[in-house]
Amino acid sequence: MRMRITEVTAVAVRVPRRVPMVASQGAISVSEFGVVRVDTDAGVVGWGEIAMSWGRVGRALCGDVARSLAPVLVGLDPRDVSACALAMQRILHITPDGAHAARAAVEMALLDIAGKAAGVPVYRLLGGRVRDRIPMAWPIPWGAPADTADAASWAVEQGFRTVKLKVGRPGGADREAVAAVRSAVGDGVAIKVDANMAYRSAGEAFAALRPLEEFGLQLIEQPLPARDLDELARLRDRLATPLLLDEACWELRDIGEIVRRGAADVLNVYVVEMGGPLQAWKAFAAAESAGLTGLLGSQCEMGLATAACAHVGVAVPNLAYESDVVGPLRYPRDIVLNPPRIEDGFLYAPDGPGLGVEIDESALDALRIE
């Protein structure tokens, strides 16, 4: 029996964070996101979350949904997720201005509808689970060495076995922070570092990162600009630590270039950056075909998009490192009544139909931007 999309709407929300995230790109203390609602003629409603921390954010991306995506989707069957994704791709390409996050939110809502209609969680639509839970890392912003060490110790007390430190500062600040964390947490906790494209050349990055390797790093993330793949390949050959790419991996065709140039050991795949859960699943499959592993990146999503990430994470076989999707712990209030469980350093995918979370209408009303 056919089902039709009757309306696609989006509202922007403004949500304060408990602690600002400070890194080479700047500081963020408030998330301006968006919530997408897809209605159908069968009465089934799907929800998705626009989660983008930099550049064009909530209000602008909600405008993309209203002006560009809604008109091409109304009348289509939401359960034909691939057909809807193709329609969105034709009208709104994945670009660095954030349009991918608008597409991702709509695709989350479509999968939410498809799962609800079939009575199964989204991970079943992605091939089923290969794991019961997803190991998480706790990201820590720039700060004084003692503060960074305290944050890492707190994370370990909460059950996290990996911490992620933002680096990219001049002088010896990064080395002091990594040394303090290693001293505080011991050798049994993994440390990965993320430079967010802070360096301008392989030589500069090597000079900054090589001294950090003595502390036994797990991964080094995106030290150079996204398109400097040849320089990244040269740096990868010189470092002992595996190289993780993030900003260089924003769409499927990026993976082909990364592989061709030998620029990475691991890929950081974002559901919001790839354009949705199905697109992220494809990215993991593309990486697997080239012998690469991956993890799930985060734009500090709230509970709705975190659920979408969790469904992807339990369904892909080549998730080999701790992921960063701990957004619900960053906010004093969420937009869902039942955020996905994060416990002892693990994220669990909801088992209910669709995304498995329920919108908190009162929170949505309180947080929305008029």
Side-chain angles (χ1 to χ4, degrees):
M1 182 177 176
R2 292 284 292 178
M3 181 189 296
R4 303 287 184 181
I5 296 172
T6 57
E7 190 175 21
V8 180
T9 56
V11 298
V13 295
R14 187 176 187 274
V15 191
R17 299 187 181 191
R18 294 182 189 276
V19 177
M21 177 54 71
V22 184
S24 62
Q25 300 140 305
I28 300 176
S29 59
V30 175
S31 293
E32 184 182 310
F33 287 168
V35 178
V36 169
R37 172 174 173 153
V38 177
D39 286 273
T40 69
D41 59 2
V44 183
V45 176
W47 297 89
E49 179 186 327
I50 297 172
M52 183 52 59
S53 296
W54 307 97
R56 293 173 71 243
V57 289
R59 281 168 286 190
L61 296 176
C62 287
D64 288 344
V65 173
R67 289 187 302 270
S68 300
L69 299 182
V72 301
L73 292 171
V74 170
L76 299 182
D77 190 326
R79 297 167 298 181
D80 294 332
V81 180
S82 293
C84 292
L86 184 59
M88 288 192 289
Q89 185 176 13
R90 286 171 176 159
I91 196 69
L92 194 66
H93 292 285
I94 296 179
T95 61
D97 67 2
H100 50 283
R103 285 184 52 197
V106 175
E107 188 173 281
M108 290 176 206
L110 298 175
L111 286 164
D112 192 29
I113 291 170
K116 288 173 178 175
V120 299
V122 163
Y123 63 74
R124 295 287 182 203
L125 305 179
L126 299 175
R129 289 189 298 190
V130 296
R131 62 183 58 81
D132 293 327
R133 58 186 187 172
I134 307 163
M136 291 288 113
W138 183 253
I140 300 173
W142 282 355
D147 294 337
T148 306
D150 286 345
S153 297
W154 175 88
V156 172
E157 290 172 1
Q158 303 307 305
F160 292 92
R161 304 307 300 167
T162 300
V163 294
K164 173 178 173 176
L165 308 184
K166 294 291 186 177
V167 298
R169 291 171 288 184
D174 292 337
R175 189 181 186 282
E176 292 175 9
V178 176
V181 169
R182 178 56 75 203
S183 176
V185 302
D187 294 333
V189 174
I191 301 173
K192 57 181 176 179
V193 298
D194 180 10
N196 289 117
M197 307 184 291
Y199 311 112
R200 298 300 96 190
S201 68
E204 180 187 354
F206 182 79
L209 295 169
R210 185 69 185 94
L212 308 184
E213 291 193 295
E214 70 177 274
F215 301 105
L217 301 182
Q218 180 199 60
L219 296 168
I220 293 173
E221 182 172 349
Q222 198 70 47
L224 298 175
R227 299 306 166 201
D228 289 357
L229 295 181
D230 292 334
E231 283 287 280
L232 284 162
R234 282 190 279 273
L235 178 62
R236 178 184 173 224
D237 288 340
R238 298 179 67 185
L239 291 171
T241 306
L243 194 61
L244 168 68
L245 292 193
D246 172 356
E247 286 90 346
C249 178
W250 273 36
E251 54 182 305
L252 286 173
R253 65 182 176 183
D254 290 341
I255 296 174
E257 277 299 296
I258 290 168
V259 171
R260 186 174 70 82
R261 301 197 200 184
D265 298 288
V266 186
L267 300 182
N268 194 353
V269 177
Y270 287 66
V271 168
V272 296
E273 291 176 6
M274 277 291 165
L278 181 59
Q279 311 314 312
W281 182 92
K282 290 179 181 178
F284 273 101
E288 184 182 18
S289 71
L292 296 180
T293 58
L295 57 85
L296 284 166
S298 174
Q299 287 285 344
C300 207
E301 299 88 350
M302 293 182 290
L304 185 54
T306 297
C309 295
H311 286 288
V312 174
V314 297
V316 293
N318 54 326
L319 187 82
Y321 292 91
E322 292 80 7
S323 295
D324 302 335
V325 191
V326 295
L329 302 181
R330 299 291 195 183
Y331 302 100
R333 187 174 191 181
D334 210 310
I335 56 171
V336 296
L337 293 170
N338 52 336
R341 180 162 59 107
I342 301 174
E343 185 176 281
D344 293 330
F346 289 91
L347 169 65
Y348 294 81
D351 286 319
L355 293 176
V357 291
E358 181 182 352
I359 290 293
D360 185 342
E361 298 281 1
S362 64
L364 189 56
D365 287 340
L367 297 170
R368 69 186 299 161
I369 301 170
E370 298 298 337

